[in-house]
Amino acid sequence: MSPLSDLVSKLTRLAPFGKHDNDPLASLKTATRWLEELPLADTFKSQQAILGALKRFEGGPEQFTRERLAIFMLLDERSRDLQETLAHQYLRNPRMSRQVESQLWHALYGLWWELARGYNAFGLHLARAAGHGHKDDPLPLVTLRAIRAFGQLLKWRAIRYLQPTDKLWQRLHRFYRTAEEAGFHRQALRAYPGDATDCSCETAYLHILMLNLANSGSLYPKQLDSVDRWLMGWHDLLALTPTYESETHFFVVDLSADHGPRRVRKPEPDKPLRFWSTAALLQRVEATRNRLREGGADGPTETPDIRRTADNLELLDYLLHQWDTLEKREQRR
């Protein structure tokens, strides 16, 4: 048994899940109390306890109640700071031992997997249920969080230079199609209470597509994470359309395929394709790069977390290369 598996096993035995009065899945009130009692000073132990609770969500009909969904979403929300701390440790310590690297990566990926699995199950159930469109319909928020969870799985596989598996792209495309068909793909939502801005299923989906286009396999984990963070400030510069315009659209994604976005070559009219342009985004990236080169700071309406460093300037140049048309790439070269 691996050290991480052994730790998870011990935590599962120690956690009082068997007692109904302290089972975090018993009720929303109990889950709230249980989360408040976690040893938050021990980030890894607390994260693993939440991971153990998420693993206990099964797919039976009795699971798909509003309270069970509320408990699941609460566990998700409370895990975010823990995930952020562990991710910071992982990305800022490139010289850690192989054993520690493996423990951290599997902890992070494991929790994202359980969140994606859970939102996938709840989302499919809600999509089949009647009564969509009312004010309290949870499907838009569940779909948005599912899209972001699948995006994190793809990101953390890329960080470890692993290819996507488990039909991750196909599942991600399906959730975006659900949002589009139900008409809420552009509905602005606050995915998590601590988020600084709203986003939509479309912008979250495009975020993942653009991160994938940026990743040629040559980025370091910290660079990939930087692009992921910068994209949060560029959502308003991208939009999807089913109609192809040869002079405008550079990239395409096939919603029926088990792969990510590609450059537009010969669009097949019988496939569910979505196209988009990166022209506005490239203008923003180039303006940011030029301003930083001249010694200025990014304005508050742009991307304030991009600082003037040699690494960031090099990364911005790289993005201009990755996200531009083939003709412009040759001109830049």
Side-chain angles (χ1 to χ4, degrees), residues 169 173 177 205 252-262 268 271-274 276:
W169 279 112
H173 299 330
R177 291 187 79 172
Y205 181 60
V252 62
V253 63
D254 182 352
L255 301 184
S256 65
D258 190 23
H259 58 71
R262 296 181 175 176
E268 299 181 51
K271 290 189 175 182
L273 305 179
R274 298 295 180 271
W276 71 100

Side-chain angles (χ1 to χ4, degrees), residues 166-279:
D166 303 304
K167 297 185 177 180
L168 291 180
W169 279 112
Q170 212 163 42
R171 294 179 181 186
L172 174 63
H173 299 330
R174 183 180 64 200
F175 267 100
Y176 175 71
R177 291 187 79 172
T178 295
E180 199 174 65
E181 289 166 3
F184 58 75
H185 58 298
R186 290 180 177 168
Q187 179 181 342
L189 295 168
R190 189 63 54 101
Y192 292 93
D195 284 0
T197 59
D198 291 349
C199 69
S200 67
C201 291
E202 181 179 279
T203 55
Y205 181 60
L206 272 163
H207 181 127
I208 299 164
L209 300 182
M210 294 303 298
L211 186 63
N212 180 259
L213 288 170
N215 179 37
S216 64
S218 62
L219 294 181
Y220 294 118
K222 188 176 178 181
Q223 291 176 312
L224 194 64
D225 183 66
S226 292
V227 178
D228 186 28
R229 293 177 185 277
W230 296 351
L231 277 165
M232 294 296 293
W234 297 334
H235 283 178
D236 61 325
L237 303 171
L238 299 164
L240 289 172
T241 177
T243 305
Y244 176 56
E245 297 179 11
S246 60
E247 299 299 318
T248 304
H249 298 135
F250 309 158
F251 299 102
V252 62
V253 63
D254 182 352
L255 301 184
S256 65
D258 190 23
H259 58 71
R262 296 181 175 176
R263 291 185 176 276
V264 180
R265 299 192 187 279
K266 294 181 179 180
E268 299 181 51
D270 59 331
K271 290 189 175 182
L273 305 179
R274 298 295 180 271
F275 306 91
W276 71 100
S277 168
T278 57

Side-chain angles (χ1 to χ4, degrees), residues 19-202:
K19 299 180 180 180
H20 186 271
D21 61 348
N22 202 30
D23 183 349
L25 307 191
S27 68
L28 185 59
K29 181 178 179 181
T30 306
T32 303
R33 184 173 64 244
W34 178 81
L35 286 164
E36 290 172 351
E37 293 171 354
L38 288 177
L40 296 182
D42 190 334
T43 304
F44 189 79
K45 186 175 181 179
S46 296
Q47 192 259 15
Q48 288 292 290
I50 293 178
L51 175 57
L54 290 170
K55 285 182 176 180
R56 297 176 58 228
F57 279 84
E58 302 297 336
E62 71 282 356
Q63 297 284 333
F64 302 121
T65 65
R66 286 299 182 98
E67 184 168 40
R68 297 287 282 187
L69 176 58
I71 294 170
F72 186 87
M73 297 179 84
L74 177 64
L75 293 172
D76 174 17
E77 291 165 12
R78 294 296 181 88
S79 72
R80 285 176 59 75
D81 286 344
L82 302 172
Q83 286 284 87
E84 187 73 18
T85 300
L86 292 182
H88 182 84
Q89 292 175 9
Y90 184 97
L91 295 166
R92 301 307 187 270
N93 293 283
R95 296 183 181 179
M96 59 188 155
S97 69
R98 182 174 296 182
Q99 179 182 6
V100 172
E101 185 275 337
S102 180
Q103 284 185 332
L104 281 176
W105 187 88
H106 280 92
L108 288 159
Y109 190 82
L111 195 141
W112 282 118
W113 174 257
E114 293 303 325
L115 290 174
R117 183 180 70 87
Y119 282 125
N120 182 69
F122 278 111
L124 291 176
H125 172 76
L126 290 168
R128 288 191 294 264
H132 295 310
H134 59 81
K135 182 179 179 181
D136 298 324
D137 183 10
L139 183 59
L141 183 56
V142 167
T143 302
L144 175 57
R145 289 195 182 185
I147 288 172
R148 288 179 58 160
F150 279 111
Q152 286 298 314
L153 289 177
L154 290 164
K155 170 188 170 180
W156 281 93
R157 292 196 70 82
I159 279 175
R160 230 184 184 207
Y161 307 103
L162 300 173
Q163 292 298 314
T165 59
D166 303 304
K167 297 185 177 180
L168 291 180
W169 279 112
Q170 212 163 42
R171 294 179 181 186
L172 174 63
H173 299 330
R174 183 180 64 200
F175 267 100
Y176 175 71
R177 291 187 79 172
T178 295
E180 199 174 65
E181 289 166 3
F184 58 75
H185 58 298
R186 290 180 177 168
Q187 179 181 342
L189 295 168
R190 189 63 54 101
Y192 292 93
D195 284 0
T197 59
D198 291 349
C199 69
S200 67
C201 291
E202 181 179 279

